[in-house]
Amino acid sequence: MNMQVRQETKPDVRTSRRISNLRTGLEGLGQLGKDLDALERLLVQLAQVTGKHTAKTVERLRKDVAGFEPTITVLGQVKSGKTTLVNAMAGWSDLLPSDVNPWTSVVTSLHLKPASRPAETGASFQFMTEDNWDRLLNQGGRIGEMASRAGAESELAKIGEQIEKVRAKAQKRLGKKFDLLLGETHNYGYFDKNLLERYIVLGDDFGEEDSEQGRFADILSSADLTLNCDTVPVPLCLRDTPGVNDTFMMREQVTIQALRSSKICVVVLSAGQALTSVDMGLIRLISNLKSRNVLIFVNRIDELPDPANQVPEIEASIRQTLHNKQGPEDAEILFGSAYWANKALSGNIEGMPKVASKALFEWAEVALEPHQGTLGPQEMVWELSGMGHLYRALSERVIEEQGQQLLQKTANAALTVATSELAAGAVQIGAKQANGAPLSTYDALKAFKDIADFHQKAFAEELDAAVSEYHTRADRSHAKFIDRALRSLLSHLENYGKDIVWDYDPVGLRMLLRTAYSAFAAKVRGLSQARYEAAMTDVAMLYANTFGSAVEGIQMAPPSLPDLPAPIALGQTIALDFNDGWWISWWNRIRGFNAFSKRFQNLIARETEDFMTQSKDIQSALVRDVAQTSLREFFEQHSDILQDISAAPQSQEIESLFRTGEEGQKRTQLEQLTTELEALLAATTAQSGGTTI
């Protein structure tokens, strides 16, 4: 794929007015940012006093810290206020245009960089490929194939007409450039409103082919925007997803991919119509995430005539629906107004409609804390918008789910490197005193390779067995679902005939597969913990057997298992989720009740084929990769450590060199770094999980 790069410079986007309490709720992230900065400083210093092999490990650790960027995915139907909320979260009024093209499945990722970690402001726009168009035009992709099998060709034809219209408009607008742009990337060293409108805003049919608004929107695939933001203490990625109002949810796969790469999601609902039928699809998608990682932000309370009394009623209704639909019942529900927040940011709070002003005053009576009564008007509106509560909830989850894990894992790994460097000196002194000859690395490295090969092979076999067991259970659940659905259909036909549309909720299949996956994930966690600890013990024994008491100070921790990926695919649409009467069309093509059984089984088997592939093969592959990567990185790190310990230089005055001169200074630095890393680790977690050989 060719890449077109455009580099231009322009001042960063700036909001028209700043208010003093934009950081409210971000205090916890402030401490996390300080800890990350401290850890990165220690890693830079450690890299200067390590051996050439372990320097690679330290550099990888430093990149992990520098690349820390929690992603928050914002979901919601079209016009729920997602983009307006993202603007408020970023602290930039009208930063992103709210009228995003609903036909290009664009995910806009806004990368916010704090003042302590500035980055070059810029924008990157990725265009669709010819394959993307072919996939859309070939019966609307997977959803279209499903619709065709189900007999919903009329709805499919409408989608096809819309897609053809979009492509024709883009070709007319872009002319010969249309084919040249497919698969390309445009990079800019800035972005502003005009640039964004050119790329990601749906343009109207102005009748002018050279119109700039919406010029590229019809063929855009994704947009990444980067800017410095002095309100956020750590890098954050706010991902604005396309709405999900499509008849056949053609953007569903885009949303699933966005959720897979994000641990935290914010579901935006409209207070006036919270949890519509469209929102049910969102609940299904998030139902397999941890409740703790789901935040529901009920937006547009500025449109409520009586927010003080209506908010509790809306929350109770949402809770009941989550319970009835097997959604994340314990998800935190927040209420607010992105409109109010952006009014505060723009400094135009006097220009609100009467309904919004009335709602603001009524909400203030029940939502403002006593100490907030002294705030200025702008700051007060900002608090009432709910942004402080949203920030606080997000901060807690970023720290718990990602920040603490990164700090603990990295500090433990760095501590192992630092103490191994100290041990290298002790090994060389011991070797000189014992026989005056350098240690041979051959036997130690060969034994280490044997240990690594053994554990990685054994772990792969254990995971194979766990995956096989999971697949068997999933297939059994699938067969049971088809059997139950068939019985339900035949019973329906016997009692009502085909004049009344049969309806069958596939929630049973989702629940069976969720249970199977939960058992599989628990199995993998148990296998991983046992294998990681066994691998650490064997490596520790190798150090002791090879180098003796000289390596007793090396501090080791077993590999840490990251959170296993949530089974997002279990929420994807299958044909039975649609209640639009397409079964009648299918029935009319079948002659006789006896034909129903086999054909129905084949239909459901074909329809759920992709669903099962996503839930079984792809999901288990993701889990395997996470588990095996941790073990592989553990062995890579200790291979470097072993080589550096074994290859430390010999000298006739080795012991005195370690007490004075350059080596003495290095040892002093390592001891200081060890102390600081231990202090950082102790402050981050009560138990480091480490052990000392």
Side-chain angles (χ1 to χ4, degrees):
M1 179 188 301
N2 295 325
M3 178 176 290
Q4 179 177 343
V5 179
R6 297 185 177 185
Q7 294 291 352
E8 303 178 29
T9 59
K10 199 169 184 176
D12 289 345
V13 177
R14 288 289 182 268
T15 188
S16 59
R17 184 163 181 174
R18 287 292 182 189
I19 53 181
S20 61
N21 57 343
L22 284 179
R23 294 183 177 85
T24 301
L26 296 172
E27 295 83 1
L29 287 184
Q31 184 57 52
L32 175 61
K34 293 177 181 177
D35 290 340
L36 289 172
D37 289 341
L39 181 56
E40 186 168 10
R41 173 181 58 80
L42 293 175
L43 290 171
V44 170
Q45 295 175 8
L46 182 59
Q48 299 171 355
V49 290
T50 57
K52 67 175 183 178
H53 294 97
T54 49
K56 295 184 298 183
T57 295
V58 177
E59 177 60 19
R60 177 177 58 80
L61 296 174
R62 191 196 65 77
K63 288 182 178 179
D64 288 343
V65 174
F68 178 71
E69 185 190 56
T71 298
I72 299 165
T73 298
V74 184
L75 308 175
Q77 60 172 298
V78 172
K79 299 303 181 182
S80 63
K82 300 188 315 301
T83 303
T84 306
L85 180 63
V86 169
N87 287 343
M89 293 169 68
W92 308 101
S93 180
D94 297 327
L95 175 64
L96 299 178
S98 58
D99 190 11
V100 177
N101 188 342
W103 282 105
T104 53
S105 298
V106 173
V107 172
T108 303
S109 298
L110 182 59
H111 305 272
L112 304 179
K113 304 300 180 181
S116 62
R117 297 171 177 268
E120 292 186 5
T121 299
S124 179
F125 303 101
Q126 175 67 52
F127 292 103
M128 297 174 67
T129 65
E130 190 63 51
D131 288 342
N132 295 147
W133 279 111
D134 290 342
R135 184 66 171 151
L136 287 175
L137 293 171
N138 182 21
Q139 298 188 328
R142 187 189 72 80
I143 304 299
E145 293 165 3
M146 174 185 68
S148 180
R149 290 198 304 268
E153 288 90 348
S154 60
E155 293 293 339
L156 178 61
K158 295 177 183 178
I159 294 176
E161 291 173 4
Q162 290 170 320
I163 295 172
E164 288 283 11
K165 182 180 179 181
V166 168
R167 177 161 182 149
K169 187 180 74 170
Q171 287 177 319
K172 180 181 179 181
R173 185 186 296 269
L174 298 171
K176 295 180 180 180
K177 293 183 179 180
F178 177 86
D179 292 325
L180 296 176
L181 286 171
L182 294 180
E184 296 295 304
T185 299
H186 284 185
N187 293 328
Y188 292 84
Y190 78 99
F191 67 87
D192 58 15
K193 184 176 181 180
N194 291 333
L195 185 67
L196 297 183
E197 287 186 348
R198 192 189 317 167
Y199 280 89
I200 65 176
V201 173
L202 177 61
D204 296 324
D205 293 322
F206 298 109
E208 299 181 7
E209 295 183 19
D210 60 348
S211 175
E212 286 300 303
Q213 183 173 5
R215 181 172 181 78
F216 303 113
D218 297 320
I219 63 173
L220 198 66
S221 174
S222 64
D224 285 87
L225 312 175
T226 302
L227 78 161
N228 296 308
C229 180
D230 57 11
T231 59
V232 296
V234 300
L236 290 176
C237 175
L238 305 180
R239 184 169 290 159
D240 186 12
T241 60
V244 291
N245 298 52
D246 293 306
T247 303
F248 284 101
M249 296 185 73
M250 293 176 62
R251 301 189 201 95
E252 184 179 84
Q253 293 301 311
V254 174
T255 302
I256 287 175
Q257 292 300 321
L259 286 172
R260 275 180 172 159
S261 59
S262 173
K263 290 188 176 182
I264 303 172
C265 77
V266 177
V267 179
V268 183
L269 305 177
S270 179
Q273 51 180 6
L275 288 179
T276 64
S277 59
V278 173
D279 293 320
M280 292 300 101
L282 284 175
I283 289 180
R284 191 178 65 244
L285 283 177
I286 65 175
S287 62
N288 298 292
L289 294 172
K290 290 168 56 177
S291 294
R292 177 68 174 165
N293 292 346
V294 176
L295 289 171
I296 296 177
F297 188 85
V298 183
N299 192 23
R300 294 186 168 176
I301 65 170
D302 55 279
E303 299 175 0
L304 296 177
D306 185 12
N309 291 311
Q310 287 178 277
V311 163
E313 296 174 356
I314 294 172
E315 180 171 3
S317 175
I318 293 173
R319 292 285 182 203
Q320 186 62 48
T321 304
L322 291 175
H323 173 75
N324 295 340
K325 298 296 182 179
Q326 291 79 43
E329 295 184 44
D330 297 329
E332 186 170 354
I333 301 176
L334 305 171
F335 288 82
S337 167
Y339 172 78
W340 286 343
N342 282 286
K343 278 292 185 179
L345 289 171
S346 65
N348 186 30
I349 60 175
E350 292 81 9
M352 296 186 193
K354 290 183 178 180
V355 174
S357 297
K358 178 177 178 293
L360 180 66
F361 284 112
E362 292 188 1
W363 186 238
E365 293 181 2
V366 297
L368 276 183
E369 300 290 340
H371 68 276
Q372 295 173 334
T374 58
L375 294 173
Q378 305 254 139
E379 284 72 15
M380 191 175 296
V381 173
W382 178 257
E383 289 297 330
L384 292 170
S385 73
M387 295 309 302
H389 295 293
L390 179 59
Y391 278 155
R392 190 170 297 108
L394 290 172
S395 297
E396 291 172 355
R397 286 153 180 79
V398 167
I399 294 168
E400 294 172 8
E401 299 292 333
Q402 299 171 70
Q404 288 181 342
Q405 290 184 15
L406 177 66
L407 286 169
Q408 181 178 346
K409 176 184 176 181
T410 307
N412 269 321
L415 196 56
T416 300
V417 171
T419 53
S420 70
E421 288 294 326
L422 288 171
V427 166
Q428 297 310 308
I429 294 174
K432 176 63 182 175
Q433 292 174 343
N435 53 29
L439 293 174
S440 171
T441 63
Y442 179 80
D443 290 337
L445 292 175
K446 183 178 182 303
F448 178 84
K449 184 178 183 304
D450 290 342
I451 290 173
D453 290 345
F454 168 78
H455 282 289
Q456 292 185 97
K457 180 181 178 182
F459 193 36
E461 292 173 351
E462 291 168 347
L463 291 176
D464 283 342
V467 168
S468 177
E469 181 181 345
Y470 168 52
H471 285 186
T472 298
R473 183 171 178 178
D475 289 337
R476 190 163 55 243
S477 299
H478 186 211
K480 185 181 298 184
F481 165 76
I482 293 178
D483 181 63
R484 289 178 177 175
L486 176 60
R487 292 182 184 181
S488 172
L489 174 61
L490 295 179
S491 175
H492 174 92
L493 292 174
E494 182 179 348
N495 293 317
Y496 305 104
K498 62 180 183 180
D499 295 329
I500 298 178
V501 176
W502 173 73
D503 180 24
Y504 193 76
D505 193 343
V507 66
L509 176 60
R510 302 184 196 279
M511 293 182 66
L512 288 171
L513 291 179
R514 186 191 304 177
T515 301
Y517 179 77
S518 296
F520 168 61
K523 180 82 170 184
V524 170
R525 281 191 288 267
L527 291 173
S528 299
Q529 182 177 357
R531 181 56 56 187
Y532 293 170
E533 290 178 354
M536 182 191 69
T537 300
D538 284 351
V539 172
M541 290 298 296
L542 174 64
Y543 282 141
N545 292 336
T546 304
F547 304 113
S549 61
V551 294
E552 288 180 350
I554 298 180
Q555 296 188 37
M556 294 176 61
S560 59
L561 178 65
D563 289 339
L564 297 181
I568 303 297
L570 290 181
Q572 75 178 40
T573 301
I574 59 178
L576 294 179
D577 289 327
F578 296 120
N579 298 317
D580 56 4
W582 61 261
W583 281 105
I584 294 177
S585 175
W586 181 71
W587 283 342
N588 288 336
R589 293 181 294 169
I590 306 297
R591 295 293 181 265
F593 279 17
N594 292 333
F596 273 107
S597 178
K598 187 63 177 177
R599 295 197 180 190
F600 175 78
Q601 285 180 317
N602 291 338
L603 173 65
I604 298 302
R606 290 197 305 270
E607 165 48 31
T608 54
E609 180 180 357
D610 181 74
F611 177 81
M612 292 299 295
T613 298
Q614 293 282 338
S615 303
K616 287 171 45 186
D617 302 333
I618 294 179
Q619 190 69 28
S620 57
L622 291 172
V623 171
R624 286 187 66 114
D625 183 63
V626 167
Q628 290 181 304
T629 296
S630 290
L631 185 62
R632 184 182 67 251
E633 290 179 349
F634 171 81
F635 282 122
E636 289 174 352
Q637 176 184 4
H638 284 281
S639 175
D640 292 336
I641 289 173
L642 184 61
Q643 292 184 71
D644 277 350
I645 292 178
S646 301
Q650 296 294 304
S651 170
Q652 293 297 320
E653 303 296 334
I654 189 73
E655 187 170 2
S656 62
L657 284 175
F658 274 106
R659 293 187 181 129
T660 61
E662 184 177 341
E663 290 296 332
Q665 294 176 4
K666 173 182 174 181
R667 187 173 185 84
T668 300
Q669 286 181 271
L670 286 168
E671 289 173 344
Q672 179 62 33
L673 286 170
T674 298
T675 300
E676 293 187 47
L677 285 168
E678 289 175 335
L680 178 60
L681 193 57
T684 303
T685 178
Q687 293 182 341
S688 68
T691 185
T692 300
I693 306 177

